[in-house]
PDB file of all heavy atoms in Angstrom:
ATOM      1  N   LEU A   1     131.916 122.371 130.465  1.00  0.00           N
ATOM      2  CA  LEU A   1     131.459 122.594 129.070  1.00  0.00           C
ATOM      3  C   LEU A   1     130.291 121.664 128.908  1.00  0.00           C
ATOM      4  O   LEU A   1     130.333 120.495 128.860  1.00  0.00           O
ATOM      5  CB  LEU A   1     132.638 122.314 128.150  1.00  0.00           C
ATOM      6  CG  LEU A   1     132.518 122.811 126.636  1.00  0.00           C
ATOM      7  CD1 LEU A   1     132.308 124.361 126.674  1.00  0.00           C
ATOM      8  CD2 LEU A   1     133.713 122.357 125.896  1.00  0.00           C
ATOM      9  N   ALA A   2     129.081 122.340 128.575  1.00  0.00           N
ATOM     10  CA  ALA A   2     127.895 121.543 128.457  1.00  0.00           C
ATOM     11  C   ALA A   2     127.454 121.446 127.003  1.00  0.00           C
ATOM     12  O   ALA A   2     127.366 122.326 126.332  1.00  0.00           O
ATOM     13  CB  ALA A   2     126.853 122.218 129.252  1.00  0.00           C
ATOM     14  N   GLU A   3     127.237 120.234 126.650  1.00  0.00           N
ATOM     15  CA  GLU A   3     126.695 119.928 125.262  1.00  0.00           C
ATOM     16  C   GLU A   3     125.299 120.468 125.160  1.00  0.00           C
ATOM     17  O   GLU A   3     124.458 120.256 125.931  1.00  0.00           O
ATOM     18  CB  GLU A   3     126.850 118.457 124.996  1.00  0.00           C
ATOM     19  CG  GLU A   3     126.164 118.134 123.593  1.00  0.00           C
ATOM     20  CD  GLU A   3     125.658 116.651 123.642  1.00  0.00           C
ATOM     21  OE1 GLU A   3     126.204 115.812 124.371  1.00  0.00           O
ATOM     22  OE2 GLU A   3     124.688 116.327 122.859  1.00  0.00           O
ATOM     23  N   ILE A   4     125.107 121.293 124.041  1.00  0.00           N
ATOM     24  CA  ILE A   4     123.702 121.814 123.699  1.00  0.00           C
ATOM     25  C   ILE A   4     123.160 120.984 122.514  1.00  0.00           C
ATOM     26  O   ILE A   4     122.008 120.701 122.439  1.00  0.00           O
ATOM     27  CB  ILE A   4     123.806 123.283 123.432  1.00  0.00           C
ATOM     28  CG1 ILE A   4     124.437 123.984 124.590  1.00  0.00           C
ATOM     29  CG2 ILE A   4     122.376 123.848 123.037  1.00  0.00           C
ATOM     30  CD1 ILE A   4     123.746 123.831 125.909  1.00  0.00           C
ATOM     31  N   PHE A   5     123.980 120.748 121.458  1.00  0.00           N
ATOM     32  CA  PHE A   5     123.515 120.013 120.382  1.00  0.00           C
ATOM     33  C   PHE A   5     124.537 119.260 119.724  1.00  0.00           C
ATOM     34  O   PHE A   5     125.794 119.738 119.684  1.00  0.00           O
ATOM     35  CB  PHE A   5     122.854 120.940 119.202  1.00  0.00           C
ATOM     36  CG  PHE A   5     123.642 122.107 118.707  1.00  0.00           C
ATOM     37  CD1 PHE A   5     124.543 122.039 117.826  1.00  0.00           C
ATOM     38  CD2 PHE A   5     123.498 123.347 119.434  1.00  0.00           C
ATOM     39  CE1 PHE A   5     125.340 123.151 117.435  1.00  0.00           C
ATOM     40  CE2 PHE A   5     124.209 124.421 119.074  1.00  0.00           C
ATOM     41  CZ  PHE A   5     125.161 124.470 118.003  1.00  0.00           C
ATOM     42  N   TRP A   6     124.335 118.105 119.239  1.00  0.00           N
ATOM     43  CA  TRP A   6     125.297 117.130 118.619  1.00  0.00           C
ATOM     44  C   TRP A   6     124.531 116.444 117.459  1.00  0.00           C
ATOM     45  O   TRP A   6     123.590 115.737 117.751  1.00  0.00           O
ATOM     46  CB  TRP A   6     125.842 116.109 119.657  1.00  0.00           C
ATOM     47  CG  TRP A   6     127.006 115.371 119.300  1.00  0.00           C
ATOM     48  CD1 TRP A   6     127.485 115.129 117.986  1.00  0.00           C
ATOM     49  CD2 TRP A   6     127.814 114.564 120.023  1.00  0.00           C
ATOM     50  NE1 TRP A   6     128.590 114.505 117.970  1.00  0.00           N
ATOM     51  CE2 TRP A   6     128.869 114.040 119.268  1.00  0.00           C
ATOM     52  CE3 TRP A   6     127.860 114.385 121.452  1.00  0.00           C
ATOM     53  CZ2 TRP A   6     129.752 113.189 119.755  1.00  0.00           C
ATOM     54  CZ3 TRP A   6     128.782 113.538 121.785  1.00  0.00           C
ATOM     55  CH2 TRP A   6     129.765 112.955 121.184  1.00  0.00           C
ATOM     56  N   TYR A   7     125.138 116.549 116.238  1.00  0.00           N
ATOM     57  CA  TYR A   7     124.431 115.997 115.144  1.00  0.00           C
ATOM     58  C   TYR A   7     125.533 115.593 114.132  1.00  0.00           C
ATOM     59  O   TYR A   7     126.391 116.387 113.839  1.00  0.00           O
ATOM     60  CB  TYR A   7     123.537 116.910 114.511  1.00  0.00           C
ATOM     61  CG  TYR A   7     122.729 116.288 113.346  1.00  0.00           C
ATOM     62  CD1 TYR A   7     121.751 115.324 113.483  1.00  0.00           C
ATOM     63  CD2 TYR A   7     123.151 116.490 111.991  1.00  0.00           C
ATOM     64  CE1 TYR A   7     121.053 114.831 112.499  1.00  0.00           C
ATOM     65  CE2 TYR A   7     122.710 115.962 110.880  1.00  0.00           C
ATOM     66  CZ  TYR A   7     121.491 115.046 111.078  1.00  0.00           C
ATOM     67  OH  TYR A   7     120.897 114.400 110.135  1.00  0.00           O
ATOM     68  N   VAL A   8     125.508 114.263 113.628  1.00  0.00           N
ATOM     69  CA  VAL A   8     126.286 113.790 112.509  1.00  0.00           C
ATOM     70  C   VAL A   8     125.416 113.277 111.456  1.00  0.00           C
ATOM     71  O   VAL A   8     124.409 112.589 111.759  1.00  0.00           O
ATOM     72  CB  VAL A   8     127.322 112.860 113.081  1.00  0.00           C
ATOM     73  CG1 VAL A   8     128.079 112.171 111.953  1.00  0.00           C
ATOM     74  CG2 VAL A   8     128.286 113.318 114.035  1.00  0.00           C
ATOM     75  N   LEU A   9     125.560 113.714 110.274  1.00  0.00           N
ATOM     76  CA  LEU A   9     124.799 113.099 109.073  1.00  0.00           C
ATOM     77  C   LEU A   9     124.736 111.645 109.214  1.00  0.00           C
ATOM     78  O   LEU A   9     125.763 110.958 109.451  1.00  0.00           O
ATOM     79  CB  LEU A   9     125.284 113.651 107.826  1.00  0.00           C
ATOM     80  CG  LEU A   9     125.190 115.144 107.498  1.00  0.00           C
ATOM     81  CD1 LEU A   9     126.152 115.366 106.181  1.00  0.00           C
ATOM     82  CD2 LEU A   9     123.748 115.461 107.308  1.00  0.00           C
ATOM     83  N   PRO A  10     123.611 110.994 108.987  1.00  0.00           N
ATOM     84  CA  PRO A  10     123.388 109.663 109.170  1.00  0.00           C
ATOM     85  C   PRO A  10     124.473 108.767 108.380  1.00  0.00           C
ATOM     86  O   PRO A  10     124.979 107.776 108.960  1.00  0.00           O
ATOM     87  CB  PRO A  10     121.925 109.274 108.692  1.00  0.00           C
ATOM     88  CG  PRO A  10     121.284 110.507 108.861  1.00  0.00           C
ATOM     89  CD  PRO A  10     122.278 111.681 108.680  1.00  0.00           C
ATOM     90  N   GLU A  11     124.832 109.173 107.172  1.00  0.00           N
ATOM     91  CA  GLU A  11     125.763 108.415 106.472  1.00  0.00           C
ATOM     92  C   GLU A  11     127.191 108.477 106.939  1.00  0.00           C
ATOM     93  O   GLU A  11     128.040 107.754 106.494  1.00  0.00           O
ATOM     94  CB  GLU A  11     125.693 108.812 104.993  1.00  0.00           C
ATOM     95  CG  GLU A  11     125.984 110.241 104.717  1.00  0.00           C
ATOM     96  CD  GLU A  11     124.800 111.174 104.672  1.00  0.00           C
ATOM     97  OE1 GLU A  11     123.804 111.025 105.366  1.00  0.00           O
ATOM     98  OE2 GLU A  11     124.859 112.210 103.965  1.00  0.00           O
ATOM     99  N   TYR A  12     127.468 109.323 108.029  1.00  0.00           N
ATOM    100  CA  TYR A  12     128.821 109.502 108.512  1.00  0.00           C
ATOM    101  C   TYR A  12     128.803 109.095 109.871  1.00  0.00           C
ATOM    102  O   TYR A  12     129.918 109.299 110.643  1.00  0.00           O
ATOM    103  CB  TYR A  12     129.257 110.931 108.358  1.00  0.00           C
ATOM    104  CG  TYR A  12     129.453 111.372 106.921  1.00  0.00           C
ATOM    105  CD1 TYR A  12     128.498 111.899 106.178  1.00  0.00           C
ATOM    106  CD2 TYR A  12     130.672 111.101 106.278  1.00  0.00           C
ATOM    107  CE1 TYR A  12     128.694 112.286 104.860  1.00  0.00           C
ATOM    108  CE2 TYR A  12     130.873 111.393 104.997  1.00  0.00           C
ATOM    109  CZ  TYR A  12     129.814 112.099 104.260  1.00  0.00           C
ATOM    110  OH  TYR A  12     130.102 112.441 102.983  1.00  0.00           O
ATOM    111  N   ARG A  13     127.808 108.258 110.449  1.00  0.00           N
ATOM    112  CA  ARG A  13     127.786 107.981 111.791  1.00  0.00           C
ATOM    113  C   ARG A  13     128.658 106.752 112.223  1.00  0.00           C
ATOM    114  O   ARG A  13     129.136 106.615 113.377  1.00  0.00           O
ATOM    115  CB  ARG A  13     126.408 107.622 112.272  1.00  0.00           C
ATOM    116  CG  ARG A  13     125.520 108.934 112.222  1.00  0.00           C
ATOM    117  CD  ARG A  13     124.224 108.741 112.845  1.00  0.00           C
ATOM    118  NE  ARG A  13     123.687 110.069 112.856  1.00  0.00           N
ATOM    119  CZ  ARG A  13     122.418 110.250 112.858  1.00  0.00           C
ATOM    120  NH1 ARG A  13     121.658 109.297 113.075  1.00  0.00           N
ATOM    121  NH2 ARG A  13     121.803 111.521 112.774  1.00  0.00           N
ATOM    122  N   LYS A  14     129.120 106.040 111.332  1.00  0.00           N
ATOM    123  CA  LYS A  14     130.007 104.860 111.610  1.00  0.00           C
ATOM    124  C   LYS A  14     131.336 105.180 111.009  1.00  0.00           C
ATOM    125  O   LYS A  14     132.074 104.203 110.612  1.00  0.00           O
ATOM    126  CB  LYS A  14     129.479 103.569 111.016  1.00  0.00           C
ATOM    127  CG  LYS A  14     128.249 103.259 111.760  1.00  0.00           C
ATOM    128  CD  LYS A  14     127.671 101.815 111.500  1.00  0.00           C
ATOM    129  CE  LYS A  14     126.461 101.558 112.293  1.00  0.00           C
ATOM    130  NZ  LYS A  14     126.042 100.153 112.047  1.00  0.00           N
ATOM    131  N   THR A  15     131.712 106.489 111.059  1.00  0.00           N
ATOM    132  CA  THR A  15     133.097 106.949 110.599  1.00  0.00           C
ATOM    133  C   THR A  15     133.716 107.596 111.903  1.00  0.00           C
ATOM    134  O   THR A  15     133.262 107.545 112.962  1.00  0.00           O
ATOM    135  CB  THR A  15     132.980 107.923 109.518  1.00  0.00           C
ATOM    136  OG1 THR A  15     132.492 109.129 110.066  1.00  0.00           O
ATOM    137  CG2 THR A  15     132.119 107.376 108.404  1.00  0.00           C
ATOM    138  N   ARG A  16     134.822 108.219 111.565  1.00  0.00           N
ATOM    139  CA  ARG A  16     135.656 108.979 112.675  1.00  0.00           C
ATOM    140  C   ARG A  16     134.947 110.299 113.120  1.00  0.00           C
ATOM    141  O   ARG A  16     135.450 111.028 114.059  1.00  0.00           O
ATOM    142  CB  ARG A  16     137.074 109.143 112.235  1.00  0.00           C
ATOM    143  CG  ARG A  16     137.727 107.907 112.013  1.00  0.00           C
ATOM    144  CD  ARG A  16     139.194 108.029 111.924  1.00  0.00           C
ATOM    145  NE  ARG A  16     139.924 108.992 112.745  1.00  0.00           N
ATOM    146  CZ  ARG A  16     140.085 108.804 114.133  1.00  0.00           C
ATOM    147  NH1 ARG A  16     139.767 107.724 114.612  1.00  0.00           N
ATOM    148  NH2 ARG A  16     140.764 109.730 114.673  1.00  0.00           N
ATOM    149  N   ALA A  17     133.938 110.788 112.310  1.00  0.00           N
ATOM    150  CA  ALA A  17     133.407 112.117 112.557  1.00  0.00           C
ATOM    151  C   ALA A  17     132.967 112.325 113.967  1.00  0.00           C
ATOM    152  O   ALA A  17     133.339 113.345 114.584  1.00  0.00           O
ATOM    153  CB  ALA A  17     132.296 112.362 111.542  1.00  0.00           C
ATOM    154  N   GLY A  18     132.159 111.484 114.498  1.00  0.00           N
ATOM    155  CA  GLY A  18     131.627 111.643 115.901  1.00  0.00           C
ATOM    156  C   GLY A  18     132.798 111.669 116.983  1.00  0.00           C
ATOM    157  O   GLY A  18     132.778 112.493 117.882  1.00  0.00           O
ATOM    158  N   ILE A  19     133.772 110.732 116.915  1.00  0.00           N
ATOM    159  CA  ILE A  19     134.732 110.574 117.868  1.00  0.00           C
ATOM    160  C   ILE A  19     135.676 111.725 117.772  1.00  0.00           C
ATOM    161  O   ILE A  19     136.151 112.289 118.851  1.00  0.00           O
ATOM    162  CB  ILE A  19     135.573 109.287 117.762  1.00  0.00           C
ATOM    163  CG1 ILE A  19     136.452 109.015 118.944  1.00  0.00           C
ATOM    164  CG2 ILE A  19     136.331 109.121 116.458  1.00  0.00           C
ATOM    165  CD1 ILE A  19     135.770 108.915 120.321  1.00  0.00           C
ATOM    166  N   LEU A  20     135.888 112.354 116.560  1.00  0.00           N
ATOM    167  CA  LEU A  20     136.687 113.597 116.441  1.00  0.00           C
ATOM    168  C   LEU A  20     136.124 114.786 117.142  1.00  0.00           C
ATOM    169  O   LEU A  20     136.772 115.555 117.684  1.00  0.00           O
ATOM    170  CB  LEU A  20     137.035 113.768 114.976  1.00  0.00           C
ATOM    171  CG  LEU A  20     138.057 112.794 114.376  1.00  0.00           C
ATOM    172  CD1 LEU A  20     138.236 113.098 112.833  1.00  0.00           C
ATOM    173  CD2 LEU A  20     139.374 112.894 114.935  1.00  0.00           C
ATOM    174  N   LEU A  21     134.781 114.799 116.959  1.00  0.00           N
ATOM    175  CA  LEU A  21     134.120 115.933 117.532  1.00  0.00           C
ATOM    176  C   LEU A  21     134.155 115.732 119.154  1.00  0.00           C
ATOM    177  O   LEU A  21     134.364 116.735 119.916  1.00  0.00           O
ATOM    178  CB  LEU A  21     132.557 115.831 117.196  1.00  0.00           C
ATOM    179  CG  LEU A  21     132.295 116.449 115.808  1.00  0.00           C
ATOM    180  CD1 LEU A  21     130.835 116.092 115.512  1.00  0.00           C
ATOM    181  CD2 LEU A  21     132.502 117.869 115.737  1.00  0.00           C
ATOM    182  N   PHE A  22     133.878 114.541 119.559  1.00  0.00           N
ATOM    183  CA  PHE A  22     134.117 114.362 121.048  1.00  0.00           C
ATOM    184  C   PHE A  22     135.390 114.687 121.555  1.00  0.00           C
ATOM    185  O   PHE A  22     135.469 115.226 122.653  1.00  0.00           O
ATOM    186  CB  PHE A  22     133.557 112.962 121.441  1.00  0.00           C
ATOM    187  CG  PHE A  22     133.644 112.702 122.903  1.00  0.00           C
ATOM    188  CD1 PHE A  22     132.759 113.131 123.790  1.00  0.00           C
ATOM    189  CD2 PHE A  22     134.845 111.956 123.400  1.00  0.00           C
ATOM    190  CE1 PHE A  22     132.945 112.911 125.216  1.00  0.00           C
ATOM    191  CE2 PHE A  22     134.972 111.754 124.811  1.00  0.00           C
ATOM    192  CZ  PHE A  22     134.073 112.298 125.672  1.00  0.00           C
ATOM    193  N   LYS A  23     136.447 114.277 120.930  1.00  0.00           N
ATOM    194  CA  LYS A  23     137.816 114.433 121.370  1.00  0.00           C
ATOM    195  C   LYS A  23     138.086 116.016 121.422  1.00  0.00           C
ATOM    196  O   LYS A  23     138.737 116.432 122.400  1.00  0.00           O
ATOM    197  CB  LYS A  23     138.721 113.678 120.464  1.00  0.00           C
ATOM    198  CG  LYS A  23     138.905 112.268 120.760  1.00  0.00           C
ATOM    199  CD  LYS A  23     139.897 111.587 119.936  1.00  0.00           C
ATOM    200  CE  LYS A  23     139.972 110.177 120.087  1.00  0.00           C
ATOM    201  NZ  LYS A  23     141.107 109.426 119.326  1.00  0.00           N
ATOM    202  N   LEU A  24     137.686 116.735 120.459  1.00  0.00           N
ATOM    203  CA  LEU A  24     137.925 118.107 120.496  1.00  0.00           C
ATOM    204  C   LEU A  24     136.996 118.801 121.671  1.00  0.00           C
ATOM    205  O   LEU A  24     137.613 119.665 122.419  1.00  0.00           O
ATOM    206  CB  LEU A  24     137.517 118.731 119.257  1.00  0.00           C
ATOM    207  CG  LEU A  24     137.842 120.203 118.957  1.00  0.00           C
ATOM    208  CD1 LEU A  24     139.209 120.623 119.327  1.00  0.00           C
ATOM    209  CD2 LEU A  24     137.495 120.594 117.498  1.00  0.00           C
TER     210      LEU A  24
END
């Protein structure tokens, strides 16, 4: 599974949003 794009709004970068995306 190859990542093509990954983006989190700047104001949410130090939240759980990114790690939840990665875990899924």
Side-chain angles (χ1 to χ4, degrees):
L1 196 59
E3 170 206 335
I4 304 301
F5 51 88
W6 188 349
Y7 181 80
V8 176
L9 293 170
E11 60 269 30
Y12 292 94
R13 293 196 179 154
K14 293 187 180 187
T15 68
R16 297 192 40 73
I19 192 67
L20 290 173
L21 286 170
F22 177 76
K23 285 182 177 184
L24 186 52

